[in-house]
Amino acid sequence: MTQPAVPRSRENTRARLLAAASEVFAELGLEGASVEAICERAGFTRGAFYSNFASKEELLLGLMQQVADQKLERVTERVRELGEDSSVHRSVAELVTSILDVGTDGPTGVVLMSEIRTNAMRDERLAGAYLAWEAAMAERVAEIVADVAGAYRLRLRIPAIEFARLVLDVWDATCAFSVISGLAPLAAKDLLTQRTAMLAAAVTDAE
């Protein structure tokens, strides 16, 4: 007798729904993306969707957190690499660009973030969640920047939190510009490096 299939874990189901939703939202927008389309892309039924998320809006909130976690993981890994080789002399620009990964988000991620921002402007619940997400990102990056500035004897001309916000703004704006302009990944990375280096040089000094 055929044994029943092992049920998929809830964690795996959520991960696949989130991955599918990120693609569908980026392609069709929040309004155009139906629960059915997301389920079809993920290979699940509506029942699987509603056992994990109450609505498309709740799913969007989950995507926001996922994006934040992924970016912070990349930043933290960069800081770890710097710490393992702290004897190497680096310019201010090299330090800051290393910390921030100096990698532009892919087109799907950029479009998804634009969709999230657009809907946050229309929905108070999403607005609150987006602002909290943005603040948490800035605070974490500010902590990292302050730690590295202390380790490498760099003086910030503005508070670390303001520097972090500016850097994240440059990162997001450059990623969006690169996608709209159709820049190749290497060209987009070079542009981000240049803009970040100019910002770093403008607001930091070596002690």
Side-chain angles (χ1 to χ4, degrees), residues 143-201:
E143 291 173 3
I144 293 170
V145 168
D147 288 344
V148 173
Y152 286 86
R153 300 180 64 81
L154 301 173
R155 183 177 66 83
L156 297 176
R157 297 176 185 170
I158 60 176
I161 187 64
E162 296 302 329
F163 185 25
R165 288 174 181 144
L166 288 173
V167 171
L168 291 172
D169 286 345
V170 168
W171 191 355
D172 288 338
T174 302
C175 288
F177 174 82
S178 299
V179 171
I180 293 170
S181 302
L183 293 182
L186 183 58
K189 180 177 180 179
D190 288 343
L191 179 61
L192 181 57
T193 299
Q194 293 169 14
R195 289 182 172 181
T196 306
M198 287 189 288
L199 175 60

